[in-house]
Structures are given as structure tokens and as C-alpha cells.
Amino acid sequence: MNSNKQKKFALAGALGIAMWMSSVIIPTSCGSRVPNKKVFVVGEKTIVTPLPAQYALSALPANLPQKILLSFDGGGKQVEPDSGAVIQFYESLEGGEPFYTIAAKDFKFLHLRTGCASGDVALLENNIESDVLICDGSLNLNRIRRMELVYPNGKKKEATSLAPDYQEGDVLAAGVMFR
């Protein structure tokens, strides 16, 4: 009877030591498992820098379709067609002349000017006002290095992301976020 109790205690002790060692060794060998958190003191300020658009472009598919459905979001709300804003697409991070420009007032009718078929227009049935459908391949997403949202009063917002939502057939849907 004593030997059975001794075996149970020895087994429980070995199991306890193994659990303790794994709780100490595994987390320290795998690096920190806790995200870095910033605790603010009342009145303290910080600057948060969003991810630049050029880093998000790597998520785009290798063979881009000609038909693109874009949704524009500026500062947490959609870019309104009546805002008078203009979206400019640049090949260079430094500036220069934009290679493509979309006026917000053209959001509703750009699919007509770019030759979208009736089947393509069905993509706009449940859209929001900031959705734009381009069917002629005139906007090459691989050329984009910087995007700006320019308001009539001169205020500018730079894009922080161009994120693909889905690709269905020959249409790529993506969202553009401005800060």
C-alpha cells in the first residue's frame, strides 16, 4: 500500500515540476506573448502613425483585373459625391503630377464613362455613395505609390491603405482609407 502511495506522490510531484518548468521555460523561449500597451496619464498626448499605402499594396493579387470597384473612406466616413473633393493617384511618393484623377462628383457615373457592361453595373446595386466602378483598365493599381484626397478648400488627406476586399471573376473590389 505504501509503495502505491509513494508512486502516486512521485508521479504527482514529477507532473507538478514539469508543469512549473513549462510555465517558466516555454513563455521565455517563445518571446513575449503580451502585446505592448501604452497606458496614458490624464493629459498625456501621443502621435499615432498609420500604415502608409505603399505597404498595403503587397496584398493585391499578382494578375489584376481591368474592372475595379473602389470604395473611398475619408477620416472614418465615406467620401460624399457632393463634397467637391478630388482623389489623385501618384506613381511617386515625392509628388509630381497625378497619373489618374477621380472627382467625387463623378462617382455615380464613372462606370458609364469607362464602358461597364450591364452585368457589371449590378455590382453597384447595394453600394454606398463613395463606391466607384472602373471597367476599362484605365486605373492600374500597380502604379499607385501615393493617393491624396483634396478638398475644395485646399485641405488634403493622404491614403493610409488600399486594401483588397475580394476578387470575383474579372472584378477586384478594394477599399481606400484616407487619414
Side-chain angles (χ1 to χ4, degrees):
M1 188 86 160
N2 278 343
S3 68
N4 281 341
K5 280 188 175 182
Q6 287 177 340
K7 286 180 185 178
K8 286 181 183 178
F9 284 124
L11 182 60
L15 185 60
I17 291 172
M19 288 174 46
W20 176 81
M21 288 182 66
S22 66
S23 69
V24 172
I25 295 171
I26 292 175
T28 58
S29 66
C30 295
S32 176
R33 301 225 183 245
V34 179
N36 292 331
K37 294 181 181 178
K38 172 84 172 121
V39 178
F40 289 99
V41 178
V42 175
E44 184 180 359
K45 296 179 183 178
T46 189
I47 297 173
V48 178
T49 307
L51 180 70
Q54 66 268 21
Y55 297 121
L57 293 174
S58 62
L60 293 174
N63 297 325
L64 290 172
Q66 284 193 339
K67 298 175 186 175
I68 301 168
L69 177 63
L70 293 174
S71 178
F72 298 104
D73 188 295
K77 60 182 180 175
Q78 66 179 340
V79 177
E80 300 289 337
D82 60 353
S83 65
V86 175
I87 299 167
Q88 299 174 334
F89 299 84
Y90 296 89
E91 282 186 288
S92 171
L93 293 174
E94 292 80 38
E97 292 296 315
F99 72 89
Y100 198 85
T101 302
I102 300 173
K105 66 180 180 179
D106 295 334
F107 285 177
K108 293 180 183 179
F109 305 107
L110 198 55
H111 64 281
L112 298 173
R113 289 201 323 227
T114 60
C116 295
S118 300
D120 299 327
V121 177
L123 293 167
L124 295 172
E125 287 176 358
N126 295 323
N127 72 328
I128 56 176
E129 289 187 333
S130 67
D131 283 357
V132 176
L133 181 61
I134 302 169
C135 295
D136 62 0
S138 57
L139 177 58
N140 182 349
L141 298 181
N142 285 324
R143 291 177 62 188
I144 300 171
R145 293 297 167 258
R146 189 169 63 91
M147 295 173 280
E148 274 187 347
L149 176 63
V150 182
Y151 289 99
N153 63 4
K155 182 179 176 184
K156 294 181 181 181
K157 292 183 177 185
E158 193 166 328
T160 57
S161 67
L162 171 62
D165 291 331
Y166 65 88
Q167 183 173 353
E168 187 174 309
D170 60 347
V171 178
L172 174 70
V176 178
M177 188 78 78
F178 294 95
R179 64 176 158 112

